[in-house]
Structures are given as structure tokens and as C-alpha cells.
Amino acid sequence: MKLLVVVSSTAALNGAGVRIRYQRLITPLKNYGIQLTLKTIEQSCRYLPHSDVVLISKVMDARAAALANACHRNGALVGADLFDNYFSQKTITACRPQQRWLQQLAPLLDFGICSTEAMLHVVRQETGRLPLHLMTDCHGGRIRRIDDLQQSLRIKETSLATGRDLNVIWFGMGDNPIHDAGLSDLEQHGETLRELESTGRRVNLRVLTNERALSNQGLQKLSRLPVRTSLEIWDEELETRRLLEADVAFLPVAQTDFSRVKSPNRGITALEHGCQVLTTIDSVYELISPFTYTNSQTLLKDLEAGQAKVRIDTLNDLTRHLEREASTTVEAKRMKDFLHTLREQRRDSPASIMAILHGIQPAAIRADWCHTAGAISVRSPLTGQQDNDDIWFKLNERGEALLIIQEQLIRDKHLDLDRAEPNRTISRHPSQGLRELKIKSMVVNMSTATHQKLTLAIEAALRCRTMGEKLTLRHAVKQATVALLGELIPGLKIIDNEELPGWA
Amino acid sequence: MEQSGTTASITTLHQALRENRKADARRIATELREAYRHGDHPRSLLAFIESVLAESEGNTDQPKTTPAQHSQAGPQAFQWQVLAGANRDQIRRALGLWNRLVPAGQKLCVPGERSPAELASGEVNAEAIGRLLVDSTGSLPWLDAWYTTSHQLRVRSGTWDQQENHSPPQHWEALQWQPQLQQLVSCGSVNLEQQTESLHDLNLHHPMAPLLLLGSDGKGGVMEAALLPFPSLLRHGIHHGEVVAEQPSRASTEAISSHSLSCLLRLLQGGWPRVRSWTIRPPKDCPGGWISRASVQQWLAQMSALEPPPHEPTQPELHLHIEADGLPSVRALTGLAEQSEKDVTREASFVVLDPTHLRPLLQIRPGRQPEAAPESVRVHLSGKQKIAYQCTETVAVLMAGDTSPRRRPLWCPEDATTLTEGIDNNRDDDRPVDIALTSVGSADELQFSLWSISQQQNVKIDRLWLPDLNANNRKALERSQSLLNLMAAEGVSIEYRSDENLKTLLEDSGSRQNHLCLIKAGVCLHEPATLKALAALLRPPEVASAGCLMIHEHQQGRQHTIEAHSCGLMPGRIEPVQSSQLELVQQTLVNKVGLEDRSVIAVLSDLVLIEPHDRHWNLFKPSTTWRGKLQEQWLQASIGAILGGSLHRTTARISAHYHSAPRADQRYNVRVEGYGVELASALPRLLAASTCSDRLKP
């Protein structure tokens, strides 16, 4: 069985998330006859014919739906890996695009994957009967190198016994585009770090995080921490080095819907490097709870007594525990079973004719990509600059709105444009392969007044300059565009790519 | 050397040290230094090896402490004595005050005395207590202090002067009670220099707990004592905002001292109602909030447990409700002044802080809310039998948190679906709207305003009134003619009218029981639920008009920014009123508090939905002075409505924008006349009808 995992970009391909979640599974899955390949969404379409199962990971735009549709055409099972909770908080305006994304995508999916029970529960609320599978983040294999681990623990134990410093590390994403998480959690629980100094030790906190998080606000949060803090930009190698030096990984968790469902992978990584894990609530790190602390005083007491939960004496227990709860072998087998059952039960779902409708903000979806995915690329009159799209709008020299359509599309979909504009003065641009339809003379199944209003809205939209103007017209324009597309291509499924990230 | 051998040697070094085998330790350390010369090893380990070698070579610059010492090294109990020439009474009084402020701690005695120090009843007065507190007038030359981290205070101290027959303390030790150790422990000290001012850092064990300061000769002999009862009132402290709000015209340190003293006196005198319990509900999506911090919980519990001296009157207990991430103020926890306003104001006064720097942003003073809008009250106090307690003093500090543009874009503060969820679209009392465009503006302004009106959903637009055609506006109207025709085809009656008389507009709409909406050309209701949301604000019978957050965009090249322009008008300078003029200023910061519905003195006539019923507008007498000036007529009418008992409401849940940037920071001077009252007597009523927001200047 060939499993294609599709991620959003080359940067994501090289990121920690992909390494922890998918790369660790490649070999174990191979042992069960599943060949896992990782590709970016840009490359993905070429690999569809050779894939049995496609897993979409964090492609948060209309391409996800178009790819899912293409999978149906190719007879591949398609699923999405959903691991950040943007879905349950209906009151945060900024989460709406992600919520709409899931609403649009879910009906096109055969399955969903989550990394925690809590997230599984959230997704179940949103997607109803979609089959879901829990795939826990696994350990990185370091835990099996007992000698190395023993040595680093020995160094840490000696250093603790002989010095008065306590090396604490916080690592991870310091910010989130929407939620208060990362450095906020650290700041919120800063006094726990101060408590670690209550027996006279001096805490040296190392923060390893992404550069974007170090905004004015992010730095302010760090500067309020009550212990000595040093700051470094995260990279994988540095993370390993610093974890090997650290006595304690401090991983506070906020009691928010977003943070509560997160994966315990940072805790697992810290344990694999011989760090004690200090957190603030049990739920996220429940999987590894026999080896974590939620109370700074208990941790201190254990450290001073040489009886910390992660120590040379307990290494075997730790290894056994992680092999049981977070092992790639176990997860690979469960994944294989899930996919096989799914394939046995599958029903063919027909692919639809799909169009991606660009909104006010043109997203980074190239028309070429849409074509390889078999989707129609439509620029709304508000999108602006055209890029080899199948359908777009413009004003002629007399200020009348025109709908421009690619000849290729007319041929492929057998469109009857004579029906759409019988008395037309259609301009043919055979050299460019384009045809123009005058919107006000199109034959449409709506009242004259509605048709006039639609034409007016598109004309006004094509003259818009500011964001305010575009926003004022966006409802009218969306209605108009959807109505016109429906007239031209019966049965068309429109995926609205109106993401609104730049509104703030 | 093998890797495993190296690590084993560290253990053996450790053993050698523990068993005090110095020669062995030195030999192992020398070997280790060689082995560790290459490769990446923890710095602390290398430093440790170096320190072993340094000590064995007789160099004790870096004293090495043994493991056993570390484990018990924590903060030490502070030992002290009183010097022979010291002011023993003053020290006794300071300790007496301390014993009252830290009831959970061990009661302190003056060294050499047996019974804990107590504050005598005659000593609870401003002069006696003031002398015990740390401030610039006390004996400690403490010029300024501020928080640098959550637990560190930086103190700027003055100089030390040797006087002829009296030598003041040169060394001040700052102490806090450590509940885990049940000890008084040192947070650091302030050493005064003779020539220069200096900075000193105090590392607090608890960020909000009182500090005892003992002035000594530097050898443990104490000469004086002083107290800092509420450190969180200092700059960058969580409670500094209440100082700025309550003592706006004073210099920082002076304001802090006087506020501390006043709070402390109310606590000690008894009889002042004060907050003893609270319900604080931070928004669900904010990470915990201040109330979830252990230090805050400890401090609040300690503050609420404080009692006035036994012979003083007891303090009526209040309960504080905060629907936000916030905390009770020091003032609320120590004693609040009684109010005797007639109008019922359910909301209490609070200060909003920038959550990043804890810098105070604005003060919200209580105003009247419609009876039927309980959800918009963020902070309120209740006394016995849950009766609302009225108070204008700052009772809480709140974080402006859940409204950052990243989470709440100004274009759509609340998502359209969430916004309309609470509004029943099929209510019988939904009324048609008459829209009066109060100007024509440019062709573009008019066109986009009209588009936005035509997009309004779930509301019936009955009539659209446009200013009469003239040479100036003909061109603009022509450009929008097709759209107007379409609106007419959809059943909107389009009328041109020459008069700009508000009274006539009100009467005309009122006669059909329609709502009246004033819109200035260029104002765009970009959200189709805008009119519906404003109509929902008008439902309570006492609400006369409703508006929303007005924004505008700047575009410079590719740079695109959105700014809040106004959320209605609030009183500007409120000084002793001689003239009959009231200054009104735009308030733009209310949206920082949250998604709020608030009362204002007037909504801007640029966009307002009006309930034209005569009960609100019967005091409004149109004067010829304002003929043709709709803005002035509207402000007069709004003030008249308030004096008649009505309210004006704005919401930050929804925004409308200006097509072209409006004039920034406009101020309006309104004459309050013709209502049969002087401004001085009308002012309290006007203020009470506005949940004022004052910008604070820390």
C-alpha cells in the first residue's frame, strides 16, 4: 500500500512536526507493507496516480479540498491529519476561516487522524460520522540507546549534586497566529520557576523558540520572568544539545481549548534526553504521567534526594513505558489495521467538477496547480491580478463587465456558450485561447432586477481600490459570481478560498 | 580515555569530595580537565572541575560549596537586634502594623521583648501610620521603585548624610514573610552612599506581599523600621493603574504613597465597606488569567482575611464580580467610600491595563445600563441580599486581552454568524427603517454607502431620504442612479428632501413607527447584519439611539492599516463648570475592553439608528441657530434625551467604516440650555448616563 503524506510547503517538509509525526513512521510502516512518501502540496498531484491513500497535513486552503476531489477521481482514499484545535472556539472571529476550511473539506474525506484523544473528541463534534483514527506522536528512538542516556544522566546528576545551578529549558513554538500560547504560557507560569529557587538553587532558564515569536510583546513576556533567562532561536541540533545540558524541561500548559488537546511530544522528547519534565496540568502529558511532575516542590525534593523520576535506576522503566505508549512499531501496526479496514469498507464516492474561487486576498494558489488537480481556477472580480486562470472578469473600454473564459475549459467541459449569451458579440481571441462574455447580455435564470444588480456589483467590484470598498461589496460579488458560474457550468462545486488573514 | 571511564571518574570525584579525600579529588580533577578539554561538555561541569582544582591549590576565590550545603542553602531567617540609641517606639509601632498586615505570619516582637508588638488604637491616624510607611518623606531616602520582572523591585535610593548628633541608617534590609519556611527572609538590601544616588534590586519572595524594611548600621543593629504595605501599587505592578486613575494630578511616588496610606487607613479604621469575596471569570480562551496564579490567590486570601482592630467598627462585606481577566483593586480590598447617587449604576469603576506591560490604558467609570442588558456589565459589586452596591472608586484592574486585532479584526470584531445568533430574526417587534443620508459626498462615497445599505439583511428599508438635487451633488447622484433604481425596484421608497430638520425627520419616522437611521455619505456598513444589530440595541425601552465602532483605513503604497475612530462621545474635560458648555470627545478605546455594549453621551450622527418615539425626544426643541447643522441638532437632541431619562448605546461587536479618513480626534462643545437646568446640575445626570472612558497617562 502506498501512503502519500501531503504537507503545505518545503519549509514544513523540513520542520519538526513532519519529522516527529511522519518520518519516524517510515521504516516501521514499511515492515507492514506500507510505503510512506512525503510531498508538498505543490508536488502532490503528480503522485496521485501512484498512491492508494493520501493524508493531507496542515494544507489550510482550498487546495486541500481540490486534492481530496482529485483523490476520488484517482480512486485513492483521502484523509486529513488534524492536530491544532482551531475548530471548537466559535467565538473567536479569527478562527472562522479554519472552521470554514474544515466544513468544506470534511464531506470530501474518507477519514481523519488526530494525535490525542482530546483532539479526536473535538474533531468528532465537527465532522459527525467521519471515521477517525488516533495516531500518537512517537518517541524518536533515543530511548533505546541506554548507554548514551545513562551517560548523560550521570553527567546531569553529578552537576546537580556538585553545583548550585538548576538548568531549566523551555522549547517550542513561542507564538500562534491566533491563540495566546507558547511564551504566554511560560509567562503565566513564571512563578513556578521562582519556586524552583526556594531551596537556594539558581535557575538558569534557556528558551529555544521560533524567531517570529520574539515580537515586542513576546520579548516583554520573557523580560518579566523572575529567573535568569537566556534566549536562542530554535533549531533541531541546538534543541538536542540544550536538552542534554538541561536538568528540567518546564512545559506549562494553559487551560484553553487550544492547548488542552495538544500532543505530548515535547514531553516525550525531553524524557528521551534525560530531563525531568515539569508541567502545570496533567491532561496533556497524561501518557507519560509516571515520569512527569506537576508540583515544583515535589520535583525539588526528589532532585535534592537524588530520587528524581528520570534517573539511572528508572531508565529501564522509562524505556518500557515509552515503548508501550509511544512506539512507532505499535502506531505503525495500528495505522495499518485502520487503513486496511477502511479500504475494505470503502464505497466509491464520485468526483465532482470543482472550482476554486479566489476571494479578496489572492492566496498562493497557482492556476497551473488547479489544472493539475483537475479543478477550475476562478478569480472573483475582487481578486485583482489574473494568472492564467480559467475564468476571470474585467471591464471593457466602455466600462461594461466581461466574463473571460479559457477556450480549453469550454472544450473540456463541453460548455454551451451560445446558450449563455445568444445575442452576443463575443470577442474571440483564438490566439490567446480566450472568449469574452458580456455579463449584462448573458441569459440567466433570474429576474431582470437581480441580473442588473449582479452586473452592477461586478462592475463596481472591478473598480474597487481599497479594502473597505472590497469588503462593502464582497457579499454582493460572491452571490453574483456563484450565480454566474452556476449558470455556465451546471453541477459545479465551488470551493470558496476567501481567507481573511490580512484584515487586522 | 574511554567515554564510560570519563563519566565514572566524575562520580569518583564526587565520592572523593564527599569523603573529604582531597588528594584523590585533585588527581581525578586534573585527569578530568584533560579529558574534557575537547568536546562539548556542560559549562557548569567544567566550572566545577576548575573550582575543585582552584581550591586544592589554595586559591579560594571561588569557594566551593558541598552538596549538603546546597540542599539546605535556601533563604535564611533574618536575625537582628535593636541598637542602643534606636527609636524603640517607632520600631515597635512598625512591627505592630506588620503584625496586623501579615496575620498568617509569626507575630514579631522587638528583639529582647516578650510579647508581639501591637498597634495601639490611638495610633490609627494618618500622621502616625504615614510615618511608618516607605515614602519620600519618611526617614528612608527611597526616591523611586519599580518592578523589573514579576518578582524583582528596582529601588532608586538617595544619599546618606552624616549629621552632627544623629547618624541615620546606611543600610536597609528588605524582608518578607516566607510562609513555607515560616520565617522572615531577606529579599536584598539597599545601601546608601554618601555622594551619589544608586540603584538596588530586591528579589521578592512574593510579588505582592508587604515588605518590612529595617534600617541598620550594616552589622545587624537596627535603628529604624518602615513598611511597604502594597508593593503592587508601584510602577509596572499589577495595581499601579488604580493609583494613576485615582490620583491623576500627582507625581508618581507621591501618588503611590498617598494611595497606600489611604487604603491602609481605611482598613485599620474599620467601618468602610470592603470586598471580602469575588467571582472572577476570565474569558475561556485566555490562558488562565491572573486569578489562576498561585501568588495572586495567596495574596487575595490574605487580604480578605485582614480584620480591623478589635475596638474598631466592623466592615460591611461586599462581593465583587469580574467578567474578564482581572483582579480586585487594593482599594476594594481595604475599604470603599459609600455612594449616594440616585441613579442606579450597576457597573463599578475599573481600570484597563495593557496586558503586556501592565501599563494603565483607560478608566471606565460607572454609567447607567439598560435594565435589560445585564450581559454588558463587566464589573459590579453586590452587598447584602445581592443588592447592587454603588461606587465610583476603582474596584478592579482588568486586562485588555481578548480584543487584540489578531483575534478580533477591527473589520469584523465579532463574526457575523455569532453576531446574528443572539438576534431573533423573526421577532414581531422588528420595525422597518427609514434611512436619511445626511450628505451626498463624492460619487464614490455615495456609491459605496448605497451599496452597503442595499446589502443589509433581515431588515426592511421603508424609505431612503436623499438631500435635494443641486449643482454640487448632481454628478455624484447620477453615478449611483442605476443602484437607486434597483433599490426602488426592491421596494425602497426613494425621496429627496430639502430640510435638514431633525425634529421633522423624527416626527415623520415616528408617525409610521419606523426606526430612523442617519448615515453620512461615505460611511459604509460593510457587514450585512449592521442595521439588525443596531436594532437589537434599541430594544430596551430606555434606549433612544444606537451606534457602533467606527473605523477607517489608511493605505500608503502597500502598507494598509486600520484604525478605530470612535465608539461614541464621552465627556471631555470635566472641570468646575462656569459656562453652560460641555465638551464632548470621541472615545476610541472602549473596544479594548472587550466586545462591549456601552452607554455614551451621544452616538455620532455619522451612523446612528434612532428610536423616534416621542418619549425620548419631547425635551428637544429645535432652534433656528442649528438650522442646516444636523450634527449640532443631533447632539442637542441626545443631551435632551438623557435629561429626560433615556440612554444612548454603542457596541464594539460590530464596525462600520469611513470611505475617506475622517478628521481625527474631533471635539465638540455643546451648550446645555433650554432644558430648564444649569449645566452644573445636569452634569451628574449626563455623567451617569455615560460609561465614560478616560485615557490614563501613567
Side-chain angles (χ1 to χ4, degrees):
Chain A
M1 190 190 293
K2 286 178 177 160
L3 168 62
L4 175 68
V5 176
V6 179
V7 300
S8 62
S9 62
T10 320
L13 210 52
N14 301 321
V18 165
R19 172 172 51 86
I20 293 170
R21 195 133 177 86
Y22 311 113
Q23 278 175 348
R24 286 177 184 173
L25 280 173
I26 291 179
T27 314
L29 278 174
K30 202 182 241 169
N31 297 336
Y32 289 107
I34 297 177
Q35 186 189 334
L36 186 153
T37 320
L38 278 155
K39 295 291 167 199
T40 64
I41 181 81
E42 280 293 313
Q43 309 163 319
S44 60
C45 296
R46 274 185 283 145
Y47 295 85
L48 286 190
H50 319 292
S51 306
D52 302 301
V53 182
V54 175
L55 180 62
I56 302 171
S57 170
K58 280 197 178 174
V59 180
M60 304 296 281
D61 59 42
R63 287 177 298 184
L67 185 69
N69 195 42
C71 289
H72 292 304
R73 203 177 303 119
N74 282 284
L77 281 174
V78 59
D81 199 352
L82 302 159
F83 39 96
D84 276 338
N85 181 13
Y86 295 110
F87 308 119
S88 65
Q89 306 103 316
K90 308 293 183 208
T91 53
I92 301 179
T93 313
C95 285
R96 293 299 294 176
Q98 278 90 344
Q99 290 164 8
R100 278 193 286 264
W101 172 85
L102 185 60
Q103 275 165 16
Q104 286 185 337
L105 182 62
L108 299 166
L109 295 177
D110 297 305
F111 68 98
I113 287 188
C114 302
S115 60
T116 62
E117 278 286 355
M119 187 61 191
L120 208 70
H121 181 73
V122 167
V123 174
R124 189 163 287 135
Q125 300 288 316
E126 303 299 317
T127 58
R129 290 201 281 181
L130 183 71
L132 296 177
H133 175 66
L134 174 69
M135 184 175 97
T136 309
D137 284 346
C138 303
H139 67 75
R142 201 182 180 91
I143 196 74
R144 294 179 191 137
R145 306 203 315 251
I146 295 279
D147 285 351
D148 287 359
L149 205 52
Q150 271 183 348
Q151 185 193 335
S152 46
L153 273 176
R154 215 168 272 140
I155 295 175
K156 288 180 192 195
E157 284 171 12
T158 311
S159 147
L160 268 178
T162 50
R164 56 187 288 264
D165 285 3
L166 184 64
N167 295 317
V168 180
I169 187 172
W170 183 93
F171 64 108
M173 290 293 275
D175 66 342
N176 177 277
I178 295 171
H179 296 280
D180 262 341
L183 297 184
S184 306
D185 299 341
L186 183 58
E187 195 260 337
Q188 170 80 17
H189 293 98
E191 55 191 42
T192 308
L193 293 168
R194 181 84 169 110
E195 284 163 23
L196 289 176
E197 293 188 334
S198 64
T199 55
R201 287 195 179 273
R202 187 176 62 171
V203 167
N204 293 316
L205 174 70
R206 262 188 201 285
V207 175
L208 260 66
T209 190
N210 54 320
E211 200 165 355
R212 186 188 61 187
L214 303 178
S215 60
N216 185 7
Q217 289 194 340
L219 290 170
Q220 281 281 352
K221 282 172 190 153
L222 288 177
S223 73
R224 271 223 299 271
L225 290 174
V227 293
R228 262 172 38 132
T229 306
S230 57
L231 179 62
E232 286 170 304
I233 304 295
W234 181 93
D235 72 45
E236 196 185 329
E237 194 204 323
L238 190 66
E239 177 188 293
T240 308
R241 214 159 71 218
R242 296 305 181 217
L243 280 170
L244 285 175
E245 290 168 4
D247 303 307
V248 177
F250 181 49
L251 303 173
V253 181
Q255 285 278 24
T256 59
D257 286 353
F258 178 75
S259 297
R260 275 192 310 106
V261 306
K262 284 187 87 67
S263 147
N265 64 44
R266 283 191 303 159
I268 296 173
T269 307
L271 290 180
E272 280 196 274
H273 289 79
C275 296
Q276 311 302 328
V277 172
L278 175 62
T279 178
T280 50
I281 50 171
D282 283 326
S283 60
V284 167
Y285 295 102
E286 201 178 352
L287 196 73
I288 47 171
S289 59
F291 296 93
T292 60
Y293 289 89
T294 48
N295 183 315
S296 59
Q297 296 310 307
T298 319
L299 168 63
L300 272 183
K301 220 173 86 198
D302 285 1
L303 279 177
E304 301 303 357
Q307 290 298 312
K309 288 185 176 175
V310 180
R311 58 180 195 275
I312 294 171
D313 304 349
T314 62
L315 264 188
N316 286 332
D317 294 343
L318 176 63
T319 310
R320 268 201 302 277
H321 185 82
L322 290 184
E323 288 288 19
R324 193 173 58 238
E325 302 290 342
S327 129
T328 48
T329 327
V330 175
E331 287 308 319
K333 175 164 188 315
R334 293 187 60 240
M335 184 72 170
K336 179 211 76 175
D337 293 345
F338 174 71
L339 291 178
H340 278 288
T341 319
L342 210 59
R343 263 161 70 96
E344 281 159 21
Q345 294 169 351
R346 80 164 300 172
R347 283 188 306 259
D348 276 338
S349 37
S352 14
I353 307 176
M354 187 177 278
I356 292 183
L357 172 61
H358 301 286
I360 292 177
Q361 305 258 345
I365 305 181
R366 290 181 304 107
D368 290 350
W369 186 89
C370 294
H371 297 151
T372 27
I376 299 169
S377 168
V378 182
R379 299 250 136 181
S380 132
L382 292 168
T383 316
Q385 200 64 46
Q386 177 263 338
D387 161 47
N388 197 24
D389 297 284
D390 297 298
I391 295 174
W392 77 97
F393 299 82
K394 73 168 192 182
L395 292 174
N396 66 10
E397 57 283 2
R398 282 161 49 203
E400 295 165 318
L402 303 177
L403 183 149
I404 319 288
I405 184 165
Q406 298 268 6
E407 292 275 2
Q408 185 70 39
L409 179 68
I410 301 170
R411 283 196 298 275
D412 287 356
K413 307 289 179 210
H414 312 293
L415 304 183
D416 179 7
L417 292 197
D418 291 332
R419 196 190 64 81
E421 196 190 348
N423 311 317
R424 73 185 183 279
T425 47
I426 289 185
S427 328
R428 288 170 188 273
H429 297 274
S431 59
Q432 296 165 10
L434 301 172
R435 271 210 246 175
E436 294 176 351
L437 281 77
K438 206 182 277 177
I439 289 170
K440 76 172 173 197
S441 18
M442 282 175 73
V443 175
V444 286
N445 185 21
M446 55 183 82
S447 71
T448 320
T450 314
H451 189 187
Q452 274 177 14
K453 196 166 177 180
L454 172 158
T455 314
L456 267 186
I458 291 180
E459 284 175 4
L462 288 164
R463 291 193 190 93
C464 278
R465 294 184 314 270
T466 63
M467 179 63 88
E469 290 178 356
K470 290 180 177 185
L471 285 175
T472 305
L473 286 170
R474 76 184 193 282
H475 294 279
V477 167
K478 189 175 165 192
Q479 275 171 10
T481 318
V482 168
L484 284 178
L485 292 176
E487 294 281 345
L488 277 181
I489 312 169
L492 181 68
K493 186 169 176 54
I494 296 170
I495 299 292
D496 182 9
N497 192 49
E498 182 152 288
E499 289 282 7
L500 307 164
W503 281 24
Chain B
M1 190 182 283
E2 293 279 324
Q3 277 285 306
S4 55
T6 311
T7 48
S9 294
I10 292 174
T11 319
T12 42
L13 170 63
H14 188 200
Q15 261 166 6
L17 286 170
R18 198 179 289 176
E19 289 157 18
N20 209 13
R21 289 181 280 119
K22 284 181 183 167
D24 282 352
R26 186 179 173 181
R27 182 183 49 78
I28 298 167
T30 317
E31 272 178 34
L32 278 176
R33 183 161 66 179
E34 276 309 301
Y36 275 42
R37 185 155 285 171
H38 308 291
D40 189 17
H41 300 285
R43 230 179 259 166
S44 56
L45 205 58
L46 296 176
F48 166 65
I49 295 167
E50 289 297 338
S51 73
V52 174
L53 287 169
E55 192 181 70
S56 65
E57 282 157 15
N59 177 357
T60 48
D61 279 355
Q62 293 174 301
K64 184 191 67 65
T65 39
T66 65
Q69 281 174 316
H70 294 309
S71 52
Q72 288 152 18
Q76 297 294 314
F78 187 75
Q79 305 291 335
W80 56 290
Q81 295 146 11
V82 179
L83 275 184
N87 184 345
R88 207 166 249 275
D89 281 348
Q90 191 264 0
I91 295 172
R92 195 177 290 123
R93 270 198 296 276
L95 294 189
L97 181 54
W98 172 269
N99 287 342
R100 196 154 286 293
L101 277 175
V102 191
Q106 192 183 47
K107 297 280 172 262
L108 297 184
C109 312
V110 178
E113 294 181 7
R114 282 208 178 152
S115 54
E118 265 188 55
L119 205 57
S121 63
E123 289 165 352
V124 182
N125 61 56
E127 200 194 341
I129 299 291
R131 272 199 222 120
L132 303 174
L133 300 191
V134 169
D135 70 41
S136 48
T137 58
S139 51
L140 167 60
W142 172 297
L143 301 179
D144 198 0
W146 60 94
Y147 283 84
T148 50
T149 73
S150 63
H151 286 62
Q152 190 177 61
L153 274 187
R154 184 155 295 167
V155 179
R156 181 164 69 89
S157 66
T159 53
W160 175 77
D161 291 325
Q162 173 78 53
Q163 287 154 11
E164 265 181 34
N165 47 7
H166 171 67
S167 150
Q170 244 175 298
H171 176 94
W172 286 86
E173 194 77 24
L175 302 154
Q176 272 187 323
W177 180 253
Q178 232 287 18
Q180 277 103 17
L181 300 177
Q182 285 290 301
Q183 274 174 6
L184 205 55
V185 292
S186 171
C187 305
S189 57
V190 175
N191 290 304
L192 306 181
E193 291 174 33
Q194 261 182 324
Q195 300 296 328
T196 51
E197 293 179 1
S198 48
L199 295 174
H200 310 269
D201 288 340
L202 303 179
N203 288 307
L204 307 186
H205 295 284
H206 190 292
M208 305 163 94
L211 277 151
L212 175 64
L213 287 113
L214 297 179
S216 71
D217 55 359
K219 296 171 202 138
V222 168
M223 300 143 83
E224 285 179 42
L227 262 91
L228 185 62
F230 312 114
S232 59
L233 292 172
L234 295 172
R235 272 184 295 132
H236 305 304
I238 178 102
H239 286 112
H240 185 62
E242 67 176 274
V243 179
V244 178
E246 299 218 349
Q247 317 249 355
S249 50
R250 288 192 170 193
S252 169
T253 42
E254 194 192 331
I256 293 165
S257 323
S258 100
H259 190 71
S260 298
L261 178 59
S262 145
C263 289
L264 195 54
L265 280 174
R266 287 191 190 178
L267 182 74
L268 294 170
Q269 285 162 353
W272 300 80
R274 78 181 236 252
V275 169
R276 301 293 288 267
S277 58
W278 45 85
T279 314
I280 300 173
R281 280 200 285 254
K284 247 182 83 186
D285 48 17
C286 115
W290 279 78
I291 190 62
S292 68
R293 299 184 187 207
S295 63
V296 169
Q297 288 172 5
Q298 262 172 25
W299 181 77
L300 284 174
Q302 202 167 349
M303 288 297 288
S304 96
L306 295 180
E307 295 288 352
H311 44 270
E312 303 292 352
T314 54
Q315 295 175 299
E317 293 183 11
L318 299 172
H319 185 87
L320 176 65
H321 305 255
I322 304 178
E323 291 291 331
D325 178 11
L327 294 181
S329 64
V330 174
R331 177 65 93 198
L333 292 163
T334 51
L336 288 163
E338 296 247 26
Q339 284 299 124
S340 55
E341 293 278 333
K342 266 187 189 167
D343 282 322
V344 176
T345 50
R346 281 177 295 139
E347 189 161 56
S349 186
F350 59 92
V351 167
V352 180
L353 312 179
D354 174 334
T356 314
H357 317 92
L358 302 183
R359 189 189 298 142
L361 292 175
L362 67 155
Q363 178 186 21
I364 303 279
R365 285 194 264 121
R368 278 176 59 213
Q369 311 273 350
E371 282 301 306
E375 73 280 359
S376 60
V377 175
R378 290 226 150 203
V379 176
H380 78 275
L381 282 168
S382 52
K384 273 185 185 164
Q385 280 97 40
K386 296 187 177 170
I387 294 169
Y389 181 83
Q390 296 160 39
C391 174
T392 50
E393 291 181 321
T394 304
V395 305
V397 289
L398 260 61
M399 299 297 140
D402 56 347
T403 56
S404 69
R406 148 180 92 98
R407 294 154 67 85
R408 306 272 179 213
L410 283 176
W411 284 118
C412 50
E414 190 158 342
D415 185 70
T417 41
T418 328
L419 183 73
T420 44
E421 256 165 27
I423 308 171
D424 182 356
N425 284 323
N426 300 313
R427 276 177 67 128
D428 298 339
D429 60 356
D430 274 356
R431 313 232 302 263
V433 183
D434 293 329
I435 294 179
L437 263 187
T438 56
S439 67
V440 169
S442 71
D444 271 356
E445 286 180 330
L446 178 65
Q447 190 197 10
F448 284 101
S449 289
L450 288 176
W451 268 113
S452 75
I453 293 167
S454 77
Q455 294 294 300
Q456 293 304 304
Q457 287 168 2
N458 296 316
V459 65
K460 161 104 180 70
I461 298 173
D462 195 355
R463 294 176 291 181
L464 174 65
W465 291 320
L466 294 159
D468 242 354
L469 277 181
N470 60 43
N472 294 332
N473 64 25
R474 188 175 299 275
K475 214 167 183 182
L477 278 164
E478 272 169 14
R479 268 268 300 278
S480 290
Q481 199 52 54
S482 325
L483 185 55
L484 285 169
N485 292 345
L486 282 171
M487 290 172 81
E490 284 168 357
V492 180
S493 157
I494 311 239
E495 297 167 19
Y496 295 86
R497 50 194 304 162
S498 56
D499 62 306
E500 262 205 347
N501 189 332
L502 183 64
K503 194 80 179 174
T504 336
L505 291 175
L506 288 168
E507 282 165 3
D508 202 338
S509 283
S511 67
R512 290 212 201 180
Q513 295 198 332
N514 286 358
H515 281 151
L516 170 64
C517 179
L518 304 182
I519 300 181
K520 184 181 158 192
V523 168
C524 301
L525 293 64
H526 52 259
E527 191 54 68
T530 310
L531 283 183
K532 186 75 192 170
L534 295 186
L537 280 186
L538 280 185
R539 283 202 187 127
E542 61 270 54
V543 180
S545 74
C548 67
L549 175 65
M550 302 296 291
I551 61 172
H552 63 96
E553 66 179 319
H554 282 304
Q555 198 143 15
Q556 276 189 326
R558 284 174 170 241
Q559 198 68 30
H560 178 255
T561 53
I562 316 292
E563 275 174 30
H565 174 69
S566 168
C567 208
L569 298 177
M570 62 175 190
R573 278 195 306 266
I574 309 169
E575 312 218 327
V577 189
Q578 262 95 44
S579 71
S580 57
Q581 290 229 332
L582 173 66
E583 187 194 51
L584 297 180
V585 294
Q586 288 172 9
Q587 53 110 329
T588 53
L589 289 166
V590 158
N591 69 313
K592 289 230 186 300
V593 184
L595 296 176
E596 301 277 286
D597 300 344
R598 301 217 144 254
S599 304
V600 286
I601 291 230
V603 174
L604 285 187
S605 66
D606 296 348
L607 170 62
V608 57
L609 189 69
I610 305 166
E611 164 57 78
H613 194 280
D614 197 42
R615 67 174 183 274
H616 299 304
W617 311 107
N618 53 11
L619 282 182
F620 169 51
K621 303 278 186 307
S623 144
T624 47
T625 333
W626 308 311
R627 179 163 282 282
K629 293 178 183 164
L630 195 77
Q631 175 77 34
E632 277 81 351
Q633 292 180 44
W634 172 241
L635 294 181
Q636 281 301 323
S638 298
I639 285 172
I642 290 177
L643 294 177
S646 305
L647 286 174
H648 308 293
R649 304 281 287 167
T650 60
T651 181
R653 293 174 202 276
I654 197 163
S655 68
H657 77 270
Y658 290 96
H659 185 271
S660 347
R663 238 175 64 203
D665 206 21
Q666 270 176 303
R667 282 161 191 275
Y668 305 85
N669 286 307
V670 188
R671 299 190 85 77
V672 179
E673 57 188 12
Y675 299 108
V677 286
E678 290 297 313
L679 177 58
S681 60
L683 200 56
R685 263 192 287 169
L686 289 169
L687 291 182
S690 150
T691 34
C692 319
S693 78
D694 288 350
R695 279 174 238 198
L696 296 174
K697 291 198 182 80

